[in-house]
Amino acid sequence: MPVLLLSLLLCSACEAVGRIENPEVPALAVTPSATPQEEPLPATPPAVPPAPAGLRSVASWEGMFVEEWGRAHMQTFLPWSNSRDSWDFYNLAYGLDANTAMYRATGRRAYLDRALLYVNNLVASARVSSTLPRSQFKDGYLGWSSALSEPSGQEVPLYESYCWRYVTRLLRVIRETPELYAASTYRAQYDRLLAFTERNIFEKWFTRGANDFVYRNRTHMAAHWAFIAMDLSMMTTDPERKARYLEVFDNIHHGMPNFPSSLRAKMEPNPDHPAAWFWNDKWDSDAQPGQDVAHANNVLAFIVEAHDAGMEWTDADIRKFVVTLNTIIWPAPKVYAEFVDGTGTGDGWFNDGLMKLGRYDVNLQRRLEQHRVGQNGQFFANAALNVRLLSEQAAQ
């Protein structure tokens, strides 16, 4: 595995960049690497602490990730990153999350570089709204349309926000890693991508209509914007923008301006298991069966990151979510609920949020090692990150 891993990581440096079909709009320039003397970057990744007893190591998870890394890149994620149909960005989100998580788990910059390649391709493919033939906005913001919208050819906020929560998380990694932020090649990309995000993702949809496009009518869709707003609040250098991001974050949690509830107000003890959470995805309903597990992943993808950033969600909250997954949603091997109250028959797909709870609980992470649903790059990368974080906690 080490030889295979080394060869794949080295090959990533010479792969072709994504094509841009419209020659009149240049691709986003990629800053050339600075000389070694200019880069305060370590030659080798930092050592990973030993995994807690009984858990698969980060290196073991990385080996599984690498086995499919090249195939997934060429067959799915690279083409999606070059697509001008924003529906493809929805699925690209999983590749962004996977590569960012694997970088966080291992410190290997090849994974970070691949995630950045995808985002650079996305930004390069953006077009001025007024030039999109069937856009419903026709304004001066940059964006994309989708053939799957109704009617076809419109701009779709969900597809963009679903992907961009992982773009902002990637940017935060650069901002919060001193050696990356100080390196010219990463700082240039960070500054450019952050500026694009602030104007052509957040400002665009907020200005077009916050009640329609940011304060969405389901918990999971609003959670995407809470995720983006949280990340941007931690990176922006503009005090007015920061205030707006925190306002959105707080409104989604404590008082939606257009619905009679909030994400915090939705959370209540599970009727049959008070140590677990129950919530309905509709702002105006607390009825069972509540949120479907498939979209509960999106809620947890945000809450896990908010907790780790020290914003809103506490250790006690996380313990209740762990019980929700470990006892209500997944009560026994190969037994999965469809809804967060434990009813229905689900498929056990936890990759995009629920499995990230394994970073807080060794026993849950041990169960995930035996889980066979959804074993792809996103699963392997987040399992590796779970172990990395559990290892760091054990070493303290």
Side-chain angles (χ1 to χ4, degrees), residues 281-299:
D281 60 313
K282 300 177 182 178
W283 299 115
D284 60 354
S285 175
D286 294 318
Q288 291 181 255
Q291 174 92 65
D292 63 301
V293 171
H295 289 103
N297 277 295
N298 304 160
V299 176

Side-chain angles (χ1 to χ4, degrees), residues 25-288:
V25 182
L28 186 71
V30 177
T31 305
S33 297
T35 63
Q37 291 78 15
E38 295 174 316
E39 296 288 10
L41 294 170
T44 58
V48 179
L55 288 188
R56 186 177 291 154
S57 67
V58 169
S60 179
W61 286 114
E62 186 183 14
M64 289 184 281
F65 178 82
V66 166
E67 284 184 6
E68 71 147 37
W69 192 50
R71 179 200 57 77
H73 171 66
M74 295 304 298
Q75 293 182 9
T76 57
F77 297 131
L78 183 62
W80 285 337
S81 76
N82 285 315
S83 172
R84 292 182 185 168
D85 189 312
S86 60
W87 164 246
D88 290 327
F89 307 166
Y90 194 97
N91 295 301
L92 178 64
Y94 307 130
L96 285 172
D97 183 44
N99 279 283
T100 302
M102 190 53 78
Y103 170 76
R104 294 176 63 194
T106 66
R108 296 187 194 277
R109 294 196 304 277
Y111 306 130
L112 181 77
D113 292 341
R114 183 156 289 180
L116 283 168
L117 170 66
Y118 298 153
V119 182
N120 286 332
N121 287 348
L122 287 178
V123 171
S125 71
R127 297 295 178 266
V128 178
S129 173
S130 61
T131 69
L132 297 173
R134 292 186 293 278
S135 170
Q136 68 273 44
F137 299 106
K138 294 289 186 178
D139 56 27
Y141 290 107
L142 293 168
W144 312 264
S145 60
S146 177
L148 295 182
S149 64
E150 185 58 47
S152 177
Q154 293 194 337
E155 298 179 63
V156 183
L158 175 60
Y159 301 165
E160 293 183 27
S161 63
Y162 195 87
C163 179
W164 232 265
R165 61 198 167 124
Y166 288 136
V167 175
T168 58
R169 188 64 188 92
L170 168 65
L171 294 178
R172 263 188 60 210
V173 168
I174 297 175
R175 182 64 185 90
E176 295 171 359
T177 307
E179 59 268 27
L180 294 178
Y181 191 65
S184 60
T185 185
Y186 291 111
R187 179 62 182 272
Q189 293 181 79
Y190 168 87
D191 289 340
R192 190 168 57 250
L193 296 173
L194 178 60
F196 179 94
T197 299
E198 291 201 88
R199 172 167 170 76
N200 295 296
I201 300 296
F202 187 93
E203 179 188 312
K204 176 177 71 178
W205 289 111
F206 192 91
T207 301
R208 287 172 172 178
N211 284 358
D212 291 327
F213 305 124
V214 174
Y215 299 119
R216 304 305 302 275
N217 65 357
R218 292 291 187 272
T219 57
H220 47 281
M221 292 195 291
H224 305 331
W225 286 105
F227 198 151
I228 292 168
M230 175 189 72
D231 285 345
L232 290 177
S233 76
M234 301 170 72
M235 295 185 289
T236 189
T237 58
D238 185 320
E240 291 185 6
R241 288 183 182 273
K242 182 180 180 73
R244 176 70 73 193
Y245 302 145
L246 291 175
E247 175 188 17
V248 168
F249 182 89
D250 290 340
N251 285 347
I252 291 173
H253 280 98
H254 297 292
M256 296 278 283
N258 53 343
F259 293 105
S261 189
S262 65
L263 196 55
R264 263 296 179 188
K266 298 303 298 180
M267 297 295 161
E268 56 188 64
N270 182 287
D272 300 317
H273 202 305
W277 284 123
F278 168 81
W279 71 97
N280 193 299
D281 60 313
K282 300 177 182 178
W283 299 115
D284 60 354
S285 175
D286 294 318
Q288 291 181 255

